[in-house]
Amino acid sequence: MAVLSRLSIDSVKWEEFFIGGENGLFRINSTKSGIDKNKIIEFGGCIPYITRSSVNNGVDMFIGEKQREEYEKNNGNVITIGLDTQTVFYQPNDFFTGQNIQILENKFLNKEIALFLVPLLKIQIQKFSWGSTGATLTRLNRTKILLPIDSGGKPNWQFMEDYVKQEQKIQLQKIVNYYAQRMIECDYDLLNLEDMEWKEFWLEDIVDIKSGVRLTKADQKSGKRPFIGSTDGNNGVTSFVSNINNSLDNNLLGVNYNGSVVDNFYHPYECVFSDDVKRLHFKDKTARNKYCYLFLKQCILKQKSKYTYGYKFKATRMKRQKIILPVDENKNPHWEYMRQFMQKLESEKIGQLINYYNKRLKELE
């Protein structure tokens, strides 16, 4: 569907509508499944298991088709609301759920319209809270949201779809333009891999290893500075704080010695580090760039299988850990090769991203 010249939310009239009930926008029903996690039979499948989580679109895990007969899959192309937590997400695919999930169905619903509606629904159910004032079916049916209307005073579904497609196209084009420029910056010939010699090094010979500083949740003050903990996701960021301590650092590799042992991330930005994370700086200043750190990251990850929560990757073991690196004619680490090698990989991934986003742009036309 073609998007007209720039649509504006101020260019249409808006009206209130009940979310559910006899004259409401949605047919609201409780989930058909409501499986407690301890009653799941088949794990490791491809069916989303939706809970009241506020992250990952409500997906707690993926499970198999084979579940108890009393639990039916819910059909996709619906909106889910988690009672008590007041979480709202669009589910494009069929799914199972945990307890206390309400399903909102509407014959006009599609992905774009859902993306328009979900933020509006979230705003309205913020007034509910955990427990006795939670988002019950009765309260949801009585809740109203403000929507754009057509000339007949009905919800203007076409406008909602076109508006979201328009905004998606604008953002996608910005992404394509950004990555196209990154592709130009990474366009060069890689040094010959076949001619490279590789050599073992102790980690302590190529990096300085420093500790983080203990900062409990109770002592954390909300802010904009990343706090790096021993997690395996979100580039190691577990919260954002305003605290400053002796671990304040940037342009380095943060390596977990505890928790999610050996997982590590590059941090170009200024941040503070948990005492469960070691800070690694290259001794050679010419190697202190994003690409050499990303190369080292993968070398360290290769050692993950030998370390566990009970066998921590503490500083003494880290120093005496051997890794294999490409070397130059003087048998020193070949930093320039490592930089170019990682840039080449980045260039290939950027090409894939550009192709994907260009495809998405065509789909929105």
Side-chain angles (χ1 to χ4, degrees), residues 249-268:
D249 216 335
N250 72 297
N251 191 32
L252 77 161
L253 209 62
V255 183
N256 298 343
Y257 91 90
N258 195 15
S260 185
V261 183
V262 181
D263 281 314
N264 63 93
F265 302 96
Y266 171 62
H267 304 286

Side-chain angles (χ1 to χ4, degrees), residues 226-240 254 256 263-267 269 271-274 277 297:
F227 174 69
I228 310 305
S230 56
T231 181
D232 62 353
N234 298 323
N235 213 59
V237 179
T238 57
S239 61
F240 289 87
N256 298 343
D263 281 314
N264 63 93
F265 302 96
Y266 171 62
H267 304 286
Y269 39 77
C271 47
V272 290
F273 293 79
S274 159
V277 181
K297 168 188 173 74

Side-chain angles (χ1 to χ4, degrees), residues 112-124:
E112 284 72 31
I113 292 174
L115 291 176
F116 192 99
L117 292 172
V118 164
L120 302 178
L121 289 168
K122 285 183 177 179
I123 291 171
Q124 292 307 313

Side-chain angles (χ1 to χ4, degrees), residues 83-86 128-136 139:
L83 303 187
D84 298 323
T85 54
Q86 286 66 249
F128 301 123
S129 61
W130 187 279
S132 61
T133 56
T136 64
R139 292 188 179 117

Side-chain angles (χ1 to χ4, degrees), residues 27-288:
R27 183 170 64 257
I28 307 177
N29 295 297
S30 296
T31 176
K32 296 177 183 178
S33 50
I35 314 173
D36 285 331
K37 193 175 291 187
N38 60 5
K39 293 182 180 178
I40 294 174
I41 296 175
E42 184 181 10
F43 291 87
C46 58
I47 310 299
Y49 175 65
I50 308 299
T51 66
R52 288 169 287 172
S53 170
S54 62
V55 297
N56 297 328
N57 211 59
V59 180
D60 182 273
M61 67 176 81
F62 290 87
I63 62 178
E65 293 265 5
K66 186 179 179 181
Q67 303 300 333
R68 296 186 182 186
E69 290 184 2
E70 63 264 33
Y71 300 130
E72 294 182 51
K73 271 192 306 183
N74 296 278
N75 295 326
N77 192 37
V78 297
I79 292 174
T80 55
I81 293 182
L83 303 187
D84 298 323
T85 54
Q86 286 66 249
T87 52
V88 187
F89 296 107
Y90 172 66
Q91 307 299 339
N93 304 306
D94 294 353
F95 58 95
F96 289 110
T97 79
Q99 297 289 340
N100 298 322
I101 302 290
Q102 295 290 329
I103 313 295
L104 279 62
E105 299 178 82
N106 180 305
K107 66 180 181 180
F108 298 102
L109 199 65
N110 59 33
K111 178 182 177 181
E112 284 72 31
I113 292 174
L115 291 176
F116 192 99
L117 292 172
V118 164
L120 302 178
L121 289 168
K122 285 183 177 179
I123 291 171
Q124 292 307 313
I125 68 172
Q126 283 176 355
K127 61 187 177 184
F128 301 123
S129 61
W130 187 279
S132 61
T133 56
T136 64
L137 177 58
T138 300
R139 292 188 179 117
L140 287 174
N141 284 334
R142 292 176 180 172
T143 300
K144 292 181 177 180
I145 58 173
L146 198 64
L147 293 180
I149 59 173
D150 58 23
S151 58
K154 296 181 179 180
N156 196 335
W157 306 113
Q158 191 63 62
F159 173 84
M160 297 180 217
E161 180 177 352
D162 288 346
Y163 181 82
V164 169
K165 284 185 175 181
Q166 167 190 271
E167 296 306 303
Q168 285 181 323
K169 288 183 71 174
I170 292 171
Q171 296 305 316
L172 285 171
Q173 191 60 61
K174 288 180 179 179
I175 293 172
V176 169
N177 293 344
Y178 168 79
Y179 281 119
Q181 180 60 38
R182 292 291 296 119
M183 178 75 88
I184 294 172
E185 295 169 2
C186 294
D187 189 19
Y188 55 87
D189 292 327
L190 181 64
L191 297 173
N192 193 341
L193 175 62
E194 295 181 358
D195 294 338
M196 296 307 302
E197 182 181 348
W198 296 68
K199 175 185 169 184
E200 286 186 338
F201 293 88
W202 299 109
L203 261 180
E204 66 177 346
D205 291 337
I206 62 171
V207 296
D208 292 317
I209 302 172
K210 299 178 181 179
S211 298
V213 175
R214 182 169 177 76
L215 181 62
T216 65
K217 282 190 175 294
D219 292 331
Q220 291 179 17
K221 298 177 182 178
S222 180
K224 297 182 179 180
R225 183 174 294 108
F227 174 69
I228 310 305
S230 56
T231 181
D232 62 353
N234 298 323
N235 213 59
V237 179
T238 57
S239 61
F240 289 87
V241 301
S242 59
N243 305 68
I244 296 178
N245 56 39
N246 289 335
S247 74
L248 184 67
D249 216 335
N250 72 297
N251 191 32
L252 77 161
L253 209 62
V255 183
N256 298 343
Y257 91 90
N258 195 15
S260 185
V261 183
V262 181
D263 281 314
N264 63 93
F265 302 96
Y266 171 62
H267 304 286
Y269 39 77
E270 187 178 80
C271 47
V272 290
F273 293 79
S274 159
D275 57 338
D276 289 326
V277 181
K278 299 297 183 184
R279 295 174 288 142
L280 274 60
H281 294 270
F282 281 120
K283 292 179 181 292
D284 188 336
K285 292 184 179 180
T286 63
R288 293 179 184 178

